[in-house]
Amino acid sequence: MSRVYNFSAGPAVLPEEVLKEAAAEMLDYKGTGMSVMEMSHRSKAYQEIIETAEADLRELMNIPDNYKVLFLQGGASQQFAMIPMNLMKNGEADYIVTGQWAKKAWQEAQKYGKANKIASSEDKTFSYIPDCSDLPISENADYVYICENNTIYGTKYKKLPNTKGKVLVADVSSCFLSEPVDVTKYGVIYGGVQKNIGPAGVVIVIIREDLITDDVPEYTPTMLKYKTHADAASLYNTPPAYGIYICGKVFQWLKRQGGLAAMKERNEKKAKILYDYLDESRLFKGTVEKKDRSLMNVPFVTGNPEMDAKFVKEAKAAGFENLKGHRTVGGMRASIYNAMPIEGVEALVAFMKKFEEENL
Ligand SMILES: *Cc1c(COP(=O)(O)O)cnc(C)c1O
């Protein structure tokens, strides 16, 4: 068996310990004589899995009691519709467009009401986070929407926008559990888990209870109402049962690592190794404003598409997978999520240094 260093933006690297545990429990989960994939989601064994997962997530993120935790399906992209359907009581919301995912969310919201783009960084290929200290927040806005970490462009909000009292909704898909967060600052925090937590197929929504109501447009499908899932503790229908089980294992792994404060420290250390090298390299350079750099997704270029392609090819041959940048940006991107060991980043930088020497 040989494992590569996987820098994929998602689905992405998972902790090896978790994969091993899951493998060991594959045929017989704790004496049930079956795998978690084969058991009823109404069984006692599964009940314990989902309840423990929720409790551990609540502990990790310090989620207050007046927030619900929902395990849903449909990807982060389905939330682009669920959020306006469920939250637009005045039929209006404000969007800050800092990348493709925020832009898609903003476009989708236009189907359900007035979605105002109140700031954007598209003028400079989304390479920065706009100043959000005094934005023209709409009086009637039901919420202000952000994508907190921009997976494709590699930027992150270091300070949350001043929403002037409006509810903040954040897509945290690619920075979920990468550092401590103050949940009380948000109305909704959500993300697809396939970036930094678990396997594709699960979306976690953390939502303040007063935002969960029956007051939604009549056409809203039952499955797209937060209330449906909140009332049934994420078991209205069959949930993505195996995926939730793996997420639960990752939560336990995170607790063993020392929780989110320890993850932040480790993530900062890892990102610094790569950014410090990018800042001194004569061949490679980072593509975003330093103050807005993501700890999770690190895009970089040589400035020469042929050299970029050569690098990606040689890196792959050396065991560094999925370094090619997003198809809309080009260049390279190293996603260094929680489960990427520090040795992976050190090895990548050593390889980049060697490549630089050989190609300058
Ligand atoms: C990957 C990603 C999405 C899309 O997720 P799906 O689960 O594929 O719908 C949305 N937002 C962000 C920030 C992402 O990184």
Side-chain angles (χ1 to χ4, degrees):
M1 186 201 71
S2 94
R3 300 221 350 128
V4 296
Y5 284 123
N6 180 6
F7 293 93
S8 172
V13 59
L14 288 170
E16 216 167 279
E17 263 175 70
V18 166
L19 297 175
K20 282 182 176 153
E21 274 176 31
E25 290 172 349
M26 182 61 81
L27 296 181
D28 178 6
Y29 176 76
K30 294 193 176 166
T32 57
M34 61 181 89
S35 80
V36 173
M37 267 182 260
E38 300 167 298
M39 65 179 55
S40 165
H41 58 292
R42 311 272 177 212
S43 65
K44 195 158 167 280
Y46 195 73
Q47 196 68 39
E48 194 185 315
I49 290 171
I50 192 165
E51 281 172 6
T52 307
E54 178 175 340
D56 285 339
L57 180 63
R58 284 186 175 277
E59 186 185 327
L60 279 167
M61 290 180 73
N62 199 12
I63 301 173
D65 288 341
N66 63 325
Y67 285 74
K68 291 277 190 203
V69 172
L70 309 177
F71 296 100
L72 307 179
Q73 308 193 47
S77 301
Q78 184 164 282
Q79 294 307 309
F80 299 171
M82 272 182 88
I83 287 159
M85 275 187 194
N86 285 270
L87 265 51
M88 271 187 176
K89 311 294 183 201
N90 298 326
E92 189 168 352
D94 288 348
Y95 280 71
I96 302 175
V97 177
T98 53
Q100 269 198 37
W101 297 118
K103 191 174 178 182
K104 282 194 171 158
W106 167 62
Q107 287 166 335
E108 183 71 14
Q110 291 167 26
K111 293 186 169 185
Y112 307 100
K114 190 161 175 263
N116 311 304
K117 178 165 68 175
I118 56 165
S120 166
S121 53
E122 194 161 13
D123 59 330
K124 290 183 189 157
T125 342
F126 298 121
S127 59
Y128 68 102
I129 299 290
D131 177 359
C132 297
S133 57
D134 185 20
L135 292 172
I137 307 287
S138 312
E139 205 172 307
N140 275 328
D142 289 300
Y143 59 88
V144 175
Y145 181 101
I146 61 167
C147 177
E148 197 163 330
N149 185 78
N150 296 281
T151 325
I152 296 173
Y153 301 94
T155 57
K156 168 148 198 297
Y157 286 80
K158 298 293 157 83
K159 195 165 179 275
L160 293 174
N162 174 4
T163 65
K164 302 182 180 171
K166 302 293 183 190
V167 167
L168 179 66
V169 174
D171 174 356
V172 300
S173 294
S174 49
C175 60
F176 225 149
L177 303 180
S178 62
E179 57 184 303
V181 341
D182 180 354
V183 175
T184 64
K185 294 216 164 93
Y186 305 76
V188 180
I189 302 179
Y190 80 92
V193 305
Q194 74 273 23
K195 307 291 161 64
N196 204 20
I197 304 179
V202 184
V203 178
I204 297 174
V205 177
I206 300 160
I207 177 168
R208 217 174 60 207
E209 265 167 3
D210 60 285
L211 299 171
I212 307 172
T213 69
D214 253 331
D215 175 24
V216 296
E218 202 144 343
Y219 59 74
T220 309
T222 307
M223 280 293 289
L224 299 190
K225 284 165 64 172
Y226 288 126
K227 190 155 192 317
T228 301
H229 301 284
D231 287 351
S234 302
L235 290 167
Y236 170 75
N237 71 326
T238 320
Y242 194 81
I244 294 168
Y245 156 75
I246 299 291
C247 291
K249 287 205 174 298
V250 172
F251 300 154
Q252 298 211 334
W253 176 80
L254 287 167
K255 281 169 62 176
R256 291 197 298 274
Q257 304 303 304
L260 302 192
M263 288 321 292
K264 177 174 199 235
E265 203 176 300
R266 227 178 90 177
N267 288 328
E268 281 174 345
K269 201 166 148 196
K270 272 170 10 190
K272 187 172 188 305
I273 295 170
L274 189 45
Y275 285 126
D276 280 355
Y277 168 63
L278 288 173
D279 290 343
E280 67 171 45
S281 171
R282 287 183 302 138
L283 182 62
F284 299 103
K285 69 173 196 322
T287 56
V288 309
E289 272 188 30
K290 284 185 189 176
K291 68 175 180 33
D292 302 322
R293 282 171 163 176
S294 165
L295 294 181
M296 297 280 102
N297 311 97
V298 183
F300 55 95
V301 295
T302 64
N304 170 356
E306 277 166 35
M307 186 65 85
D308 289 348
K310 184 170 189 264
F311 174 76
V312 171
K313 187 162 169 249
E314 290 183 19
K316 185 177 166 66
F320 304 98
E321 286 278 348
N322 293 312
L323 281 167
K324 192 162 185 279
H326 189 269
R327 58 197 148 80
T328 60
V329 193
M332 281 71 71
R333 171 180 50 175
S335 294
I336 50 174
Y337 296 121
N338 282 342
M340 171 58 65
I342 198 157
E343 296 79 32
V345 180
E346 285 167 351
L348 173 65
V349 167
F351 179 81
M352 288 168 77
K353 283 183 179 161
K354 185 168 144 279
F355 185 90
E356 175 171 342
E357 274 165 30
E358 290 164 4
N359 291 276
L360 257 193

